[in-house]
Amino acid sequence: MTESQQETSPDGILVRIGQAIMLHRAGDREEARNRLALLWSETGEGDLFHRCTIAHYMADTQDDPGAELEWDRRALAAADALTEEEVEWGEHSLAVRSLYPSLYLNLAADHAKLGDSDAARRELRRAQGALGSLADDEYGAGIRAAVGRLESRLGPA
């Protein structure tokens, strides 16, 4: 397999997504955004799992809250478009299900940043309703804690 084929294979795409995430976490938002944009352009509409993942992390690299909301919407749309048949292959089924609380939480946070508390609360309720799909691990605990923090920040309806 050539280097180019490795980079565009499903595993190669996940590696490249991981590299972009590491860049973002290291503080290089612009390079992370550039790499994720390239990955987005390389993946097609039929590659929903990767597109969901790319959009999910692309949202975090945005400087504008409106753009962040649009990328989070793309991530949710890609997750919703995955059928049970398409995600029954191994760990991806669990990965997609466990993304929903985070996807809804991100939408809630986006709406809160944009000053739309009604939409933020609506998405927060969706996140709360999806928490049962999370494992009892560090990731699940982090999402549950973030949901609690946003709920406290938003206050009563």
Side-chain angles (χ1 to χ4, degrees):
M1 185 179 287
T2 69
E3 187 175 330
S4 176
Q5 289 171 320
Q6 287 175 343
E7 286 182 358
T8 58
S9 72
D11 289 339
I13 292 171
L14 286 177
V15 166
R16 292 170 62 206
I17 292 169
Q19 291 168 339
I21 293 166
M22 289 183 342
L23 283 166
H24 179 246
R25 290 183 178 159
D28 195 345
R29 290 169 63 98
E30 184 176 355
E31 183 60 23
R33 187 171 40 241
N34 291 339
R35 289 187 185 203
L36 290 167
L38 179 62
L39 282 162
W40 182 262
S41 70
E42 290 175 3
T43 56
E45 294 294 322
D47 193 358
L48 294 169
F49 178 75
H50 289 122
R51 287 178 75 82
C52 175
T53 306
I54 293 164
H56 185 61
Y57 288 105
M58 179 65 119
D60 294 338
T61 69
Q62 301 304 303
D63 297 323
D64 174 58
E68 185 175 359
L69 175 62
E70 287 308 311
W71 279 105
D72 281 328
R73 285 180 173 158
R74 286 182 185 117
L76 181 61
D80 285 346
L82 286 165
T83 65
E84 286 304 313
E85 287 180 71
E86 290 171 324
V87 294
E88 282 180 2
W89 26 281
E91 75 278 3
H92 295 305
S93 176
L94 178 60
V96 171
R97 266 198 318 273
S98 66
L99 267 181
Y100 274 96
S102 179
L103 293 170
Y104 295 141
L105 174 63
N106 287 353
L107 288 168
D110 296 341
H111 286 295
K113 287 178 196 173
L114 292 166
D116 188 346
S117 59
D118 290 339
R121 284 186 184 87
R122 182 185 66 242
E123 296 299 341
L124 185 61
R125 284 190 300 275
R126 291 173 73 185
Q128 291 164 328
L131 289 175
S133 66
L134 294 173
D136 198 15
D137 60 9
E138 187 176 331
Y139 174 77
I143 297 297
R144 286 182 187 93
V147 165
R149 285 190 303 272
L150 185 56
E151 183 178 27
S152 293
R153 201 170 87 221
L154 289 174

